């Protein structure tokens, strides 16, 4: 019998703790914690994510500064905005929602976010620190996965973990976090040969591929922990993950659902990072 990992419940519990931290910060230092969100263009998925991030800020007592730029915004307009936020003392964290519209250079924009305000953990410096297992701001989705595994009491040390997907946002930092937690990690991707055999060796599978129901029951070892980072639409237009949940679940010891698994933890970790950035700015 599998156990469903309730990301919503974990997220709610963590958000209560974060809200207490935010209130205490305000009491101690006499100012709000601020998160700047930069959204360029009108990508419909991004719109939903940004709306949810701003709502989560409100609920946690974090002040949000939302900047909506049209898809026609130029590289220098976006860069000037980020540069002004970089030196704004009321802004503890800066988030540039990705993807940026075609024609804009995201790397150049992200490189203008000071490392201590990089609450997405996407900067080269934060990723480098993560690789070296040094304290840093960690990308929200993979960090949320780690939190959820820890809160469930799932052992990672010495386990075989397989991460499917090698994006800078999820796959790579996920692999690093699992490695830092003493797992033996394999990263698979679209060119991997023998994917099924590799997955079958895994005690922990993290699916971050972006293809609906790609991970099937024949790829999963009996008793494995399966974490689904995917957010797709199936043939009926229904929200689904990268894992064929209905068929995979009975092989698992633990599995995350979509929706209600990893998703709620991602925004929670954004709040967590924003509080951490504010605390670090006063030397905590
Ligand atoms: N686009 C998809 N996921 C993310 C994320 O976690 N942060 C940002 N900034 N953009 C995204």
């Amino acid at each position: 019998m599998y156990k469903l990992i309730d990301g919503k419940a974990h997220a709610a519990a963590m958000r209560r703790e974060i809200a207490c931290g935010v209130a205490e910060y305000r009491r101690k230092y006499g100012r709000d914690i601020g998160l700047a969100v930069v959204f360029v263009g009108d990508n419909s998925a991004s719109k939903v994510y940004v709306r949810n991030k701003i709502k989560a800020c409100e609920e946690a007592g974090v002040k949000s500064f939302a900047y909506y730029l049209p898809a026609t915004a130029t590289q220098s307009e976006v860069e000037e905005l980020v540069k002004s936020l970089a030196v704004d003392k009321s802004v503890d964290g800066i988030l540039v929602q990705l993807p940026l519209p075609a024609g804009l250079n995201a790397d150049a924009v992200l490189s203008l976010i000071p490392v201590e305000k990089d609450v997405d953990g996407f900067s080269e410096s934060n990723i480098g620190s993560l690789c070296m297992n040094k304290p840093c701001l960690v990308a929200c989705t993979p960090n949320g996965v780690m939190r959820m595994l820890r809160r469930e009491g799932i052992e990672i040390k010495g386990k075989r973990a397989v991460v499917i997907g090698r994006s800078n946002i999820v796959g790579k930092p996920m692999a690093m976090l699992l490695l830092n937690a003493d797992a033996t990690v394999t990263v698979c991707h679209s060119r991997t040969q023998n994917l099924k055999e590799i997955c079958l060796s895994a005690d922990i599978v993290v699916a971050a591929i972006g293809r609906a129901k790609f991970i099937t029951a024949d790829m999963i070892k009996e008793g494995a922990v399966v974490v689904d980072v995917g957010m797709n639409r199936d043939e009926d237009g229904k929200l689904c993950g990268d894992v064929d949940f209905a068929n995979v679940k009975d092989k698992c010891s633990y599995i995350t659902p979509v929706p209600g698994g990893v998703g709620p933890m991602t925004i929670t970790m954004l709040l967590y990072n924003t509080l951490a950035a504010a605390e670090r700015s006063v030397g905590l």
Side-chain angles (χ1 to χ4, degrees), residues 14-15 21 23 47-48 76 85 103 107 121 147 153-154 184 193 209 211 221 225 236 269 276:
M14 277 196 72
R15 286 187 202 192
K47 244 184 232 173
V48 178
S76 68
L85 297 170
D107 285 344
R147 288 289 168 144
I154 292 167
T184 301
Q193 295 180 352
I209 314 140
R211 288 172 66 176
K221 180 169 81 175
V225 174
D236 304 321
M269 297 317 292

Side-chain angles (χ1 to χ4, degrees), residues 33 93 130 132 134 145 174 238 256 268 273-274 284:
I33 291 175
L130 176 64
M132 297 174 80
K134 291 180 176 171
V145 171
M174 186 77 250
K238 232 180 102 202
T256 65
T268 304
N273 280 350
T274 306
L284 288 181

